Amino acid sequence: MHESHGDLRSLSSSLFIIILHFLYEIMAVHGPVVKIHPVVLASIVDSYERRNEGATRVIGTLLGTTDKHSVEVTNCFSVPHNESEDEVAVDMEFAKNMYELHKKVSPSEVIIGWYATGYDITEHSVLIHEYYSREAPNPIHLTVDTALQSNKMNIRAYVSSQMGVPGKTVGVMFTPLTVKYVYYDTERIGVELLQRTRASPSRTNGLTTDLAQVASAAGRVQEMLTTVLSYIEDILSGKVMADNSVGRFLMDLVNKVPKITAEDFESMLNSNINDLLMVTYLANLTQAQIALNEKLVVL
């Protein structure tokens, strides 16, 4: 009899986990999409590495922009705090001063929520979220698993909603949101540089020259063109079924290629190269002139 009750409890527990997972997937579809830039993740990891001795996690303010369908996180800063099993203390004055200073540099970025390192949402998270609810309408809560509990850095975003019986005790439920990673062109360069350090034994890598970057970009374009040509040849030979959506994308790509003769292209390229060489020459000449002037002043 005891064994049957144990099996029933095990089955109920497994069913509960399956239902939670299903609800997580369903609820993540609804609500705004959270778009995170690489600089935000780098700043969070850096603040975690620089945390005070004995601190188990770090928290901070998320900055960015919002629209009807998405929340874009473009910046953040850490906020000092202390927490124990019984209480949590956050330096709200520091957070306000940091935000006022940040507004002078980037007035378009507003407070959109807060982050915390770790995997779980604790009771203290609810208290901190109440503060940010006064600073931003419907703020998001971002968790970053810097401990790599599942051998990877899980990043999740939540939005809170009230739950409970009217007139009775009201609780808070954190609903998961869909997370996507976006970047500017300047951020992409930094991300690619960090990826190259993974293959380096010393975990270091220097910046490449402009010419090397152009050569690398040209090589990637050539590889993509080879893939496209191979795909088209497979369709023509009947090896692969044609996809209308892919065909439309390829047609748009072909239409975007400017129609220009080889002679005109060579003339335009040579003209641009000459302008670039002239600007480079003038810049070097100016730099040499300034260095010479500094030496004459010292004498």
Side-chain angles (χ1 to χ4, degrees):
M1 188 69 179
H2 292 288
E3 292 180 357
S4 62
H5 283 298
D7 294 340
L8 184 59
R9 284 195 297 269
S10 177
L11 180 61
S12 300
S13 177
S14 301
L15 183 61
F16 179 71
I17 294 174
I18 294 174
I19 293 174
L20 281 181
H21 180 74
F22 176 75
L23 289 176
Y24 181 91
E25 297 295 333
I26 293 297
M27 290 187 295
V29 176
H30 303 284
V33 177
V34 180
K35 301 178 181 179
I36 305 176
H37 285 256
V39 66
V40 176
L41 301 179
S43 179
I44 293 174
V45 173
D46 181 69
S47 63
Y48 179 77
E49 290 294 329
R50 298 172 183 269
R51 68 188 185 280
N52 295 330
E53 185 177 356
T56 57
R57 68 171 184 168
V58 296
I59 67 171
T61 302
L62 297 174
L63 303 173
T65 57
T66 61
D67 55 32
K68 293 181 179 180
H69 305 290
S70 64
V71 177
E72 188 167 356
V73 187
T74 55
N75 213 331
C76 68
F77 59 84
S78 61
V79 177
H81 86 294
N82 293 311
E83 59 180 323
S84 61
E85 294 182 359
D86 301 327
E87 60 181 3
V88 57
V90 181
D91 193 345
M92 303 301 184
E93 192 65 26
F94 176 87
K96 292 180 179 179
N97 293 335
M98 283 293 294
Y99 177 57
E100 291 297 327
L101 291 174
H102 192 86
K103 282 199 301 184
K104 296 180 180 180
V105 179
S106 302
S108 61
E109 295 179 341
V110 298
I111 296 177
I112 57 176
W114 67 289
Y115 71 84
T117 58
Y119 188 80
D120 298 324
I121 296 178
T122 64
E123 295 179 357
H124 295 162
S125 300
V126 178
L127 300 176
I128 300 173
H129 198 79
E130 289 181 359
Y131 162 73
Y132 281 96
S133 297
R134 298 191 295 268
E135 299 295 325
N138 203 18
I140 64 170
H141 175 37
L142 188 72
T143 60
V144 181
D145 182 17
T146 50
L148 307 179
Q149 294 186 7
S150 57
N151 295 326
K152 66 177 182 179
M153 186 180 294
N154 284 318
I155 300 170
R156 295 182 177 180
Y158 303 89
V159 65
S160 67
S161 58
Q162 299 290 334
M163 61 177 296
V165 180
K168 302 293 182 179
T169 303
V170 178
V172 177
M173 179 179 66
F174 283 89
T175 306
L177 301 174
T178 302
V179 177
K180 291 185 178 181
Y181 306 103
V182 296
Y183 51 81
Y184 300 124
D185 290 338
T186 52
E187 292 177 325
R188 180 180 58 82
I189 297 174
V191 172
E192 291 179 351
L193 181 62
L194 290 175
Q195 287 180 339
R196 288 200 298 269
T197 60
R198 297 173 59 185
S200 175
S202 61
R203 294 293 184 179
T204 58
N205 203 333
L207 293 173
T208 57
T209 62
D210 293 341
L211 184 60
Q213 292 181 6
V214 172
S216 177
R220 289 196 298 269
V221 171
Q222 187 175 4
E223 291 178 359
M224 288 186 287
L225 289 175
T226 302
T227 302
V228 171
L229 291 175
S230 176
Y231 173 75
I232 295 175
E233 291 175 355
D234 290 341
I235 291 178
L236 294 177
S237 62
K239 296 180 180 179
V240 178
M241 185 67 66
D243 190 339
N244 293 332
S245 60
V246 176
R248 284 190 292 269
F249 281 122
L250 293 177
M251 183 60 67
D252 292 338
L253 178 63
V254 172
N255 292 333
K256 289 180 180 179
V257 177
K259 297 180 180 179
I260 185 173
T261 62
E263 293 77 10
D264 293 339
F265 178 78
E266 184 177 359
S267 176
M268 181 180 62
L269 180 62
N270 291 333
S271 177
N272 289 332
I273 291 177
N274 290 333
D275 293 341
L276 177 62
L277 293 176
M278 178 60 69
V279 172
T280 303
Y281 171 75
L282 292 176
N284 292 335
L285 182 62
T286 303
Q287 185 177 4
Q289 195 75 12
I290 293 174
L292 180 61
N293 183 61
E294 290 177 352
K295 292 184 178 297
L296 292 176
V297 170
V298 173
L299 294 177

